[in-house]
């Protein structure tokens, strides 16, 4: 739902919206690889209350802080966020009556900044890149400064709080398992903090150890190791390693370039389908390569962390791509010749 519309909701309506958390749909599509349509399922996290997988994380973090007695009257929740978690926390803080400060950076999309502000968040923007070329370390230093200045600040700490992976262990993993009737050959997820991958990975290790768990990251991110480099993809990647990910929780990881991710976002949309965000495009690009290398794989899920609305001024804007020097073309789809929503003989 649009943040401006959420901002106008009465408390009872806000509560109703909050109940739409989770149980997001799975949508089948076909990637035509080497002439063969290969069915995959998109887990559409854009269907959560504020439009991303981070609604789950935001809910889990606030719940955990409340359970530990760390939140009360006068508390100011604070978090470093590249966007989606900021929108989610803005929503949950509004719902619960806490103030919220989002520490963001120049890569945060205009769409997400507008959403956070509409939901009553205060925005603090850092502008000095850190030694890895990202802004994470600068954002964290700013949070430290604020927390040192007053006990009213409560940092939810998405990077180290076990409540982050735990909510995915409790919800995202079991939902996928149930929706696929327990039959999943391979599961693809983008990483930033690694919370989604760690929580879902842990659930599948217990419930379905034969499922191959694949972490997807951007070239230039150092979640799975270096080297660090600039990248245009947002939401996915980080300029430091994840504190949640241990090698037992996933089978492999794949790195995707900006142009590949954007090509999948744009082609999926041009094929008459959903607009998905950049990290979802990256997940599709990785999945396509994996399927080409594994003709035997049949039951596949790609977690699509957010929708394309956040990227109207970037991924889906030709002028922006040109300004960034990105020439996105069919060749960036790698092994995929086409994306289909229905096979020709389907009604
Ligand atoms: C669009 C998008 N994709 C993927 C992720 C990765 O999620 P996680 O932090 O759980 O690794 C995020 C996190 O912010 C995101 O916003």
């Amino acid at each position: 739902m649009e943040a401006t519309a959420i901002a106008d909701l009465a408390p009872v309506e806000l509560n109703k919206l909050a109940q739409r958390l989770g149980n997001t749909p799975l949508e089948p599509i076909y990637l035509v690889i080497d002439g063969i349509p290969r069915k995959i399922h998109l887990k559409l996290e854009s269907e959560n209350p504020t439009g991303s997988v981070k609604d789950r994380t935001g809910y889990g973090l606030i719940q955990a802080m409340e359970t530990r007695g760390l939140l009360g009257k006068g508390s100011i929740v604070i978090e470093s966020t590249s966007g989606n978690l900021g929108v989610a926390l803005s929503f949950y803080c509004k719902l619960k009556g806490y103030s919220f400060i989002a520490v963001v950076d120049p890569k945060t999309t205009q769409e997400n900044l507008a959403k956070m502000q509409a939901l009553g968040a205060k925005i603090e923007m850092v502008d000095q890149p850190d030694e890895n070329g990202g802004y994470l370390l600068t954002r964290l230093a700013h949070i430290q400064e604020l927390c040192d200045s007053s006990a009213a600040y409560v940092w939810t700490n998405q990077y180290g709080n076990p409540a982050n992976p735990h909510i995915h262990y409790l919800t995202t993993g079991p939902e996928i398992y149930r929706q696929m009737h327990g039959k999943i050959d391979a599961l693809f997820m983008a990483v930033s903090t690694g919370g989604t991958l760690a929580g879902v990975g842990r659930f599948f290790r217990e419930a379905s150890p034969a499922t191959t768990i694949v972490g997807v990251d951007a070239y230039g991110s150092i979640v799975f190791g270096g080297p660090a480099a600039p990248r245009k993809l947002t939401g996915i990647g980080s300029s430091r390693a994840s504190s949640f990910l241990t090698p037992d929780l996933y089978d492999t990881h794949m790195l995707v370039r900006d142009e590949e991710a954007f090509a999948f976002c744009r082609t999926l949309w041009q094929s008459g389908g959903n607009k998905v965000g950049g990290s979802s495009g990256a997940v599709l690009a990785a999945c396509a390569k994996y399927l080409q290398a594994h003709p035997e794989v049949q039951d596949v899920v790609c977690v699509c962390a957010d929708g394309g609305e956040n990227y109207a001024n970037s991924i889906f804007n030709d002028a922006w791509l040109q300004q960034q020097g990105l020439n996105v073309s069919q060749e960036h789809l790698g092994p995929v010749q086409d994306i289909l929503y229905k096979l020709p003989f389907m009604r």
Side-chain angles (χ1 to χ4, degrees):
M1 186 173 182
E2 275 300 310
T4 40
I6 298 176
D8 292 336
L9 293 179
V12 64
E13 299 293 331
L14 278 179
N15 270 307
K16 256 193 214 159
L17 182 60
Q19 281 160 21
R20 283 184 18 204
L21 177 66
N23 288 315
T24 53
L26 275 190
E27 180 173 70
I29 65 164
Y30 298 85
L31 300 180
V32 181
I33 297 173
D34 299 332
I36 299 169
R38 307 281 297 273
K39 188 178 189 177
I40 64 170
H41 296 87
L42 308 182
K43 174 94 171 139
L44 297 175
E45 289 297 296
S46 53
E47 295 299 307
N48 281 307
T50 73
S52 85
V53 71
K54 287 291 189 177
D55 277 326
R56 297 179 194 263
T57 319
Y59 169 84
L61 291 170
I62 295 289
Q63 281 286 110
M65 303 308 264
E66 285 183 335
T67 305
R68 288 166 61 195
L70 296 175
L71 286 173
K73 206 163 177 273
S75 295
I76 304 169
V77 175
I78 180 165
E79 186 55 283
S80 151
T81 163
S82 65
N84 283 332
L85 181 64
V87 178
L89 284 173
S90 303
F91 173 66
Y92 286 105
C93 287
K94 184 178 170 65
L95 187 74
K96 306 250 179 177
Y98 304 124
S99 303
F100 174 56
I101 297 180
V103 179
V104 302
D105 64 51
K107 283 177 76 178
T108 306
T109 65
Q110 289 305 317
E111 293 88 344
N112 272 339
L113 286 175
K115 284 184 191 177
M116 288 187 254
Q117 277 166 325
L119 292 170
K122 184 169 171 236
I123 306 292
E124 301 218 353
M125 170 93 63
V126 303
D127 56 8
Q128 291 300 310
D130 59 36
E131 71 237 30
N132 298 322
Y135 291 93
L136 173 64
L137 304 184
T138 322
R139 281 193 256 131
L140 293 180
H142 186 62
I143 287 197
Q144 195 58 55
E145 251 171 55
L146 287 174
C147 289
D148 288 348
S149 73
S150 163
Y153 293 112
V154 179
W155 179 30
T156 38
N157 189 6
Q158 62 164 324
Y159 309 98
N161 192 330
N164 173 356
H166 193 59
I167 194 73
H168 297 289
Y169 173 82
L170 289 180
T171 69
T172 323
E175 276 173 36
I176 295 170
Y177 184 76
R178 204 174 51 241
Q179 288 169 310
M180 294 294 289
H181 308 289
K183 204 170 165 331
I184 304 114
D185 294 327
L187 179 49
F188 295 80
M189 282 162 282
V191 296
S192 179
T193 64
T196 313
L197 180 63
V200 175
R202 187 177 298 285
F203 172 81
F204 271 85
R205 287 303 188 235
E206 292 168 13
S208 175
T211 300
T212 299
I213 305 290
V214 184
V216 180
D217 198 8
Y219 269 101
S221 156
I222 61 168
V223 174
F224 294 107
R231 54 190 192 275
K232 307 287 180 219
L233 273 163
T234 57
I236 187 173
S238 178
S239 42
R240 73 172 192 188
S242 163
S243 65
F244 304 125
L245 288 174
T246 48
D248 54 311
L249 297 176
Y250 60 97
D251 293 279
T252 186
H253 75 271
M254 298 174 76
L255 299 181
V256 174
R257 296 190 186 283
D258 294 330
E259 290 93 332
E260 295 172 308
F262 298 164
F264 275 88
C265 295
R266 290 166 67 96
T267 306
L268 185 68
W269 177 49
Q270 285 152 6
S271 309
N274 286 294
K275 262 191 180 175
V276 295
S279 76
S280 309
V283 161
L284 286 170
C287 174
K289 285 185 196 168
Y290 186 88
L291 287 180
Q292 188 185 39
H294 296 271
E296 76 287 359
V297 164
Q298 283 188 1
D299 297 296
V300 174
V301 174
C302 287
V303 176
C304 292
D306 66 359
E309 294 70 29
N310 284 342
Y311 308 92
N313 295 318
S314 52
I315 300 171
F316 296 97
N317 181 323
D318 294 342
W320 181 85
L321 287 180
Q322 215 172 3
Q323 270 164 22
Q324 305 302 317
L326 294 171
N327 183 15
V328 175
S329 68
Q330 173 84 22
E331 91 190 47
H332 295 115
L333 294 178
V336 169
Q337 291 99 51
D338 206 355
I339 301 179
L340 304 174
Y341 269 75
K342 276 185 182 162
L343 296 179
F345 52 81
M346 288 169 103
R347 289 214 275 155

